[in-house]
Amino acid sequence: MSVKFASRVQQMESSEIRELLKLTENPEVISFAGGVPAPELFPINELIQVTKEVLEESGEQALQYGTTEGFNPLREKIAKRMNKKFKTNFGIENILITNGSQQGLDFTGKIFLDQGDVVLCESPTYLAAINAFKAYEPRFVEVQSDDEGMRIDELESLLKTTQNVKFIYIVPDFQNPSGTSWSPERRKQFMQVVKEYDVVVVEDSPYSEIRFEGATPPSMKSMDEKGQVICLGTFSKTFCPGLRIGWVAAETNILEKYILVKQSADLHTSTLNQRNISRYMDSYDFDANIDKIKEVYKKRRDIMLEAIEEEFPKEVRFTRPMGGLFLWVELPEHMDARDVFTKCIKNKVAFVPGESFFPNNRKKNTLRLNYSNMPEDRIVEGIKRIALVLRDLL
Amino acid sequence: MSVKFASRVQQMESSEIRELLKLTENPEVISFAGGVPAPELFPINELIQVTKEVLEESGEQALQYGTTEGFNPLREKIAKRMNKKFKTNFGIENILITNGSQQGLDFTGKIFLDQGDVVLCESPTYLAAINAFKAYEPRFVEVQSDDEGMRIDELESLLKTTQNVKFIYIVPDFQNPSGTSWSPERRKQFMQVVKEYDVVVVEDSPYSEIRFEGATPPSMKSMDEKGQVICLGTFSKTFCPGLRIGWVAAETNILEKYILVKQSADLHTSTLNQRNISRYMDSYDFDANIDKIKEVYKKRRDIMLEAIEEEFPKEVRFTRPMGGLFLWVELPEHMDARDVFTKCIKNKVAFVPGESFFPNNRKKNTLRLNYSNMPEDRIVEGIKRIALVLRDLL
């Protein structure tokens, strides 16, 4: 049968990362490709205990339909936590629980984007956000970034000259893929500029609590004078991704649209999983668990940077993230990271070529390395293998 | 700030049921309003045991990111079970795990509907399906139904004369809201007609396993000669809704689009919840649990029907469902079920006025009663209270 799909389906393509990950499933491959947390840090025994308590005490509620907004005690904990960590001013009424922050990205597209509307974003930007927004057929306009974040002169001139900019999508903390974090000064300048426009800012912060060093800079939301910043958060990096619990935090005039969309999208997020996280936060020290994660990832980042410095040809540039899960590599301009990938996979080491992180102007000489998911000795060995290919190609 | 939303947001409205349910939250209210399973039947202790086993044996995988398609052993069990129960011919490659079947509805709209495309549906039809599809701005065309299902003469003439019909949405088993089930003959006629058209059929079957009496009629999919039927399924009614596990089953040329959309919508469904259901099906008798559910719901249906026969004025018509969770009431034409609702809620009994179940031609004199969620004595008392209001208004 000839099936007629909607035009948006033609815009969407399978994530390159997803296809690449299939090549890296072989356990012999040292993979820096995924964006995957270290599973040895998951609080498995604690979750067994927590589930038992939740089901024994409130099984009938925990397995029943729940409200679209989410489990109130969890919403409240998230609001309080954000207020404390990021100097926001959220109440329970500002929080919607989603299936991971990916669902927050999808809903953002659904709520704001008519066909042809413009999304401003960093360059490079998060691949899965590009894919989520693409379903609503926008036009992407990339704003160049440097080591301190989005370039404000360029942002300003684009805001002045571009029609139908619906929102600016940013990942100011330890961005995926670049690993860079916006400087405090740049954040202030950014908020100064955007407040002159009726444009929404989507502050996606999956990694902000995974900071290894340095003071926490102000969140965009903490400087939001007119209620234009929407925050996306997740437990995937601070706890575990398999429960699929994230959230949207926004002013109620905006959040009510997210709630409406959530209701028709899947009614609500797993009641049991929400109650489990909430109970975990009651019974255990959530921050202590994050400290453990940071300690391990910091060590892995250090080892990866050290190995890169020793092994990579000096023409190759790379970022030095102060947190998060990724670092970003720029090869000499004539090189194509896909060629490097093809040779690397034969030598049983993998990463993600960077071009899919650019919605328009694909820089082929870039690649993303993840350091959170491999033990130390495999990191050293993996970097050696990549270096061998690079030296061979240069 | 003046926020510019996408045009689709204006099409969407908060589910009436949801607003009404707020009025029924008072535990003194006898509520026939929700579509909610009996929580006393949830296998709570079994789930404590299952979670413990899954986390002890494979916690690192169960809490990690998973594949977009879903947990393979669960996909396989669903395919085999559908093949056995509904004479389909599905393999693992035909199954995508979703967050409840509501997500399957949303994805169906997203994949097939451009603005202005047509959805054919029963009249009345499932309210949350209307809301899910509305996000993609289609036009709904209702096909009249009688006691045996959709009227084939009308379907045929609409298919001949209507442009851009993308799919036909049907709930052939114990429909929500009407409770009616299509006759075997009507199903055959339906498939005879639709195979002449390149139109997709969405067979939504949340209640098909909750059959109290009578032989199981053929599923539409079992008669699908050209791969045009998409099946939506869920564990919400046969197990519990709080885990949010449903599925889409379709030919691979169609399912691949659902997988693409799932990936950008929320990456994947909760790994732990999928593994828990799969393990439950390994360790316990899934059908025996359904038998328990059917026994309780059948008794509640019997008691509700008996009370209605005794108490309701004879001008009031109602359906006699052979399964599922709902029955449907038609009041004399001059009556508005909203007025009845307003009076009933004062007397602490609730239901859902029927008009929201019609996308266009809202019959105000209809209402839906749920019998699965209230104990027997409350059912009798609740029906008495409604009858009092009805007699008063007539």
Side-chain angles (χ1 to χ4, degrees):
Chain A
M1 188 181 85
S2 135
V3 186
K4 282 169 262 171
F5 296 106
S7 80
R8 73 176 63 80
V9 175
Q10 273 106 60
Q11 313 281 316
M12 302 172 74
E13 45 191 309
S14 188
S15 152
E16 182 167 29
I17 290 189
R18 185 159 177 266
E19 299 307 312
L20 290 181
L21 284 178
K22 284 184 188 160
L23 294 172
T24 68
E25 270 166 16
N26 177 349
E28 281 177 36
V29 171
I30 299 175
S31 178
F32 306 131
V36 174
E40 63 271 27
L41 302 175
F42 295 155
I44 293 172
N45 290 323
E46 292 84 342
L47 261 172
I48 293 173
Q49 182 59 29
V50 154
T51 307
K52 183 167 180 291
E53 289 169 21
V54 166
L55 285 176
E56 275 173 357
E57 288 167 29
S58 54
E60 293 196 4
Q61 292 77 46
L63 300 176
Q64 188 58 284
Y65 285 112
T67 59
T68 300
E69 293 85 343
F71 183 55
N72 281 341
L74 182 62
R75 296 169 76 201
E76 193 176 1
K77 285 187 187 89
I78 289 169
K80 282 191 174 155
R81 197 176 164 78
M82 288 187 78
N83 295 346
K84 195 175 143 200
K85 303 258 168 189
F86 307 117
K87 304 208 166 35
T88 55
N89 192 23
F90 289 126
I92 187 171
E93 70 281 4
N94 301 112
I95 309 293
L96 166 70
I97 307 292
T98 55
N99 301 323
S101 58
Q102 182 70 28
Q103 192 175 47
L105 292 169
D106 177 49
F107 289 174
T108 300
K110 197 168 184 179
I111 287 166
F112 290 106
L113 297 176
D114 285 317
Q115 197 176 28
D117 280 345
V118 171
V119 175
L120 291 189
C121 63
E122 296 165 270
S123 177
T125 188
Y126 177 43
L127 169 61
I130 300 175
N131 284 335
F133 302 151
K134 262 194 182 166
Y136 306 98
E137 304 177 85
R139 195 160 67 84
F140 291 91
V141 176
E142 295 169 51
V143 190
Q144 293 309 309
S145 303
D146 58 29
D147 293 348
E148 294 195 54
M150 202 175 249
R151 281 184 43 192
I152 300 300
D153 51 343
E154 209 179 319
L155 170 69
E156 211 165 356
S157 103
L158 284 168
L159 279 173
K160 264 187 200 142
T161 56
T162 315
Q163 295 293 306
N164 301 320
V165 177
K166 284 298 188 69
F167 60 82
I168 310 172
Y169 172 72
I170 55 173
V171 187
D173 301 300
F174 321 121
Q175 196 222 26
N176 181 355
S178 72
T180 56
S181 198
W182 292 31
S183 70
E185 192 49 40
R186 190 64 63 87
R187 289 165 194 250
K188 281 173 207 156
Q189 292 165 347
F190 176 86
M191 289 307 296
Q192 285 294 329
V193 167
V194 298
K195 83 170 181 198
E196 304 301 323
Y197 297 84
D198 276 351
V199 65
V200 162
V201 174
V202 180
E203 181 176 23
D204 187 9
S205 303
Y207 317 108
S208 48
E209 295 211 45
I210 315 293
R211 169 176 290 277
F212 312 142
E213 58 228 352
T216 302
S219 69
M220 300 301 176
K221 187 67 194 170
S222 70
M223 300 181 282
D224 179 17
E225 291 170 22
K226 55 189 268 191
Q228 69 191 135
V229 178
I230 298 169
C231 302
L232 304 184
T234 179
F235 288 105
S236 292
K237 306 305 187 294
T238 54
F239 191 64
C240 65
L243 302 182
R244 309 304 302 125
I245 307 287
W247 64 87
V248 178
E251 305 306 317
T252 52
N253 65 322
I254 294 176
L255 198 79
E256 69 185 15
K257 306 299 183 192
Y258 278 89
I259 295 169
L260 206 59
V261 160
K262 173 77 178 167
Q263 194 190 355
S264 73
D266 63 3
L267 302 183
H268 64 83
T269 294
S270 165
T271 335
L272 179 61
N273 290 355
Q274 292 185 67
R275 284 179 181 252
N276 279 350
I277 290 192
S278 183
R279 171 61 69 106
Y280 176 91
M281 293 172 93
D282 288 334
S283 304
Y284 298 94
D285 186 341
F286 195 77
D287 284 316
N289 186 53
I290 296 180
D291 287 342
K292 267 203 309 194
I293 294 171
K294 290 196 287 195
E295 194 186 329
V296 172
Y297 291 4
K298 179 183 188 302
K299 197 163 170 197
R300 290 179 181 182
R301 176 210 59 176
D302 289 342
I303 282 165
M304 186 175 272
L305 282 175
E306 213 172 288
I308 287 175
E309 276 162 8
E310 262 175 49
E311 302 285 342
F312 275 18
K314 66 176 191 318
E315 300 94 315
V316 174
R317 292 168 51 199
F318 52 92
T319 58
R320 294 174 175 279
M322 290 166 74
L325 279 68
F326 305 103
L327 63 83
W328 181 247
V329 176
E330 285 198 34
L331 307 173
E333 278 208 18
H334 67 277
M335 286 183 81
D336 186 334
R338 287 173 162 281
D339 301 336
V340 182
F341 180 83
T342 310
K343 286 196 194 302
C344 278
I345 200 76
K346 282 183 197 144
N347 292 327
K348 298 199 166 48
V349 61
F351 55 82
V352 181
E355 59 170 312
S356 326
F357 295 94
F358 300 90
N360 307 313
N361 308 310
R362 303 184 147 213
K363 286 195 190 165
K364 289 181 185 300
N365 62 323
T366 58
L367 59 95
R368 188 191 76 176
L369 295 176
N370 165 269
Y371 47 75
S372 60
N373 190 242
M374 283 284 136
E376 284 82 26
D377 54 332
R378 304 263 282 168
I379 291 178
V380 174
E381 174 59 28
I383 293 296
K384 275 187 187 162
R385 291 185 196 174
I386 297 175
L388 216 63
V389 171
L390 289 175
R391 283 200 297 267
D392 199 45
L393 281 168
L394 268 165
Chain B
M1 187 182 85
S2 136
V3 186
K4 284 168 260 170
F5 296 105
S7 79
R8 71 176 65 81
V9 174
Q10 274 106 59
Q11 312 282 317
M12 300 173 75
E13 42 190 312
S14 187
S15 153
E16 180 166 30
I17 290 190
R18 185 158 176 267
E19 298 309 311
L20 290 181
L21 285 178
K22 284 183 187 160
L23 294 173
T24 68
E25 269 167 16
N26 178 347
E28 281 177 36
V29 170
I30 299 176
S31 179
F32 306 131
V36 173
E40 62 271 29
L41 301 175
F42 294 157
I44 293 172
N45 290 323
E46 292 84 342
L47 261 171
I48 293 173
Q49 181 59 29
V50 155
T51 307
K52 184 168 180 287
E53 289 170 21
V54 166
L55 284 175
E56 276 173 357
E57 288 168 27
S58 53
E60 293 196 4
Q61 292 78 45
L63 299 176
Q64 188 57 284
Y65 286 112
T67 58
T68 300
E69 292 86 342
F71 182 54
N72 280 342
L74 182 62
R75 296 169 76 202
E76 192 174 4
K77 284 187 187 86
I78 290 169
K80 282 191 174 157
R81 198 177 162 78
M82 289 188 77
N83 295 346
K84 196 175 142 198
K85 302 258 169 190
F86 308 116
K87 302 209 167 37
T88 55
N89 192 23
F90 288 126
I92 188 171
E93 71 281 5
N94 299 112
I95 310 292
L96 167 71
I97 306 293
T98 56
N99 301 323
S101 57
Q102 184 70 28
Q103 192 174 48
L105 291 169
D106 177 49
F107 290 175
T108 300
K110 196 167 185 179
I111 287 165
F112 290 106
L113 298 175
D114 286 317
Q115 198 176 27
D117 281 346
V118 171
V119 176
L120 290 190
C121 63
E122 296 165 271
S123 177
T125 188
Y126 178 43
L127 169 61
I130 300 174
N131 284 336
F133 302 151
K134 262 192 183 165
Y136 306 97
E137 304 178 89
R139 197 160 66 83
F140 291 91
V141 176
E142 294 170 51
V143 190
Q144 294 308 308
S145 301
D146 58 28
D147 295 348
E148 293 195 55
M150 200 174 251
R151 279 184 44 192
I152 300 300
D153 52 342
E154 210 179 317
L155 171 70
E156 211 166 355
S157 102
L158 284 168
L159 279 173
K160 264 186 201 143
T161 56
T162 316
Q163 295 291 309
N164 300 322
V165 176
K166 283 298 188 71
F167 59 82
I168 310 172
Y169 172 72
I170 55 173
V171 187
D173 300 300
F174 321 120
Q175 196 223 28
N176 182 354
S178 71
T180 56
S181 196
W182 292 29
S183 70
E185 191 51 38
R186 191 64 62 87
R187 290 167 194 248
K188 279 174 208 156
Q189 290 166 349
F190 175 86
M191 288 308 296
Q192 284 293 329
V193 167
V194 297
K195 82 171 180 194
E196 303 301 322
Y197 296 85
D198 276 351
V199 66
V200 163
V201 173
V202 180
E203 181 176 22
D204 187 9
S205 303
Y207 317 108
S208 47
E209 294 211 46
I210 315 293
R211 170 177 288 279
F212 311 143
E213 56 227 356
T216 302
S219 68
M220 300 302 177
K221 188 66 194 172
S222 70
M223 298 181 284
D224 179 17
E225 290 169 22
K226 55 190 268 189
Q228 69 191 135
V229 178
I230 297 169
C231 301
L232 304 183
T234 178
F235 287 105
S236 292
K237 305 305 186 295
T238 55
F239 191 64
C240 65
L243 303 182
R244 311 304 302 125
I245 307 287
W247 64 88
V248 178
E251 306 306 317
T252 52
N253 65 321
I254 294 176
L255 197 79
E256 70 185 14
K257 306 298 182 193
Y258 279 89
I259 296 169
L260 205 59
V261 160
K262 173 77 178 166
Q263 195 190 356
S264 73
D266 64 2
L267 301 182
H268 64 84
T269 294
S270 165
T271 335
L272 179 61
N273 290 357
Q274 292 186 67
R275 283 179 182 252
N276 279 350
I277 290 194
S278 183
R279 171 60 71 106
Y280 177 90
M281 293 172 94
D282 287 334
S283 305
Y284 299 93
D285 186 340
F286 195 78
D287 285 315
N289 186 54
I290 297 179
D291 287 343
K292 268 202 308 194
I293 294 170
K294 289 197 287 192
E295 195 186 330
V296 172
Y297 291 5
K298 179 182 188 302
K299 197 164 170 196
R300 291 179 180 181
R301 176 209 60 176
D302 289 344
I303 281 165
M304 183 173 275
L305 282 175
E306 214 173 286
I308 287 175
E309 276 162 8
E310 264 175 45
E311 301 286 340
F312 275 18
K314 67 176 189 318
E315 301 93 317
V316 174
R317 291 166 52 196
F318 52 90
T319 59
R320 296 173 174 279
M322 291 165 74
L325 279 67
F326 305 102
L327 61 83
W328 182 246
V329 176
E330 286 199 35
L331 306 171
E333 278 208 15
H334 68 276
M335 288 183 80
D336 187 334
R338 288 173 161 281
D339 301 336
V340 182
F341 179 84
T342 309
K343 287 194 193 304
C344 278
I345 200 80
K346 283 183 195 143
N347 293 325
K348 299 202 166 49
V349 61
F351 54 81
V352 181
E355 60 170 312
S356 325
F357 295 94
F358 301 90
N360 307 315
N361 308 308
R362 303 185 146 212
K363 286 192 189 165
K364 290 181 183 300
N365 62 322
T366 58
L367 60 93
R368 189 191 74 177
L369 295 175
N370 166 269
Y371 48 74
S372 61
N373 190 242
M374 284 284 136
E376 284 81 27
D377 56 331
R378 305 263 283 169
I379 291 177
V380 174
E381 174 59 27
I383 293 296
K384 277 187 186 162
R385 291 185 195 173
I386 298 175
L388 217 62
V389 171
L390 289 176
R391 283 199 298 266
D392 198 44
L393 283 168
L394 268 165

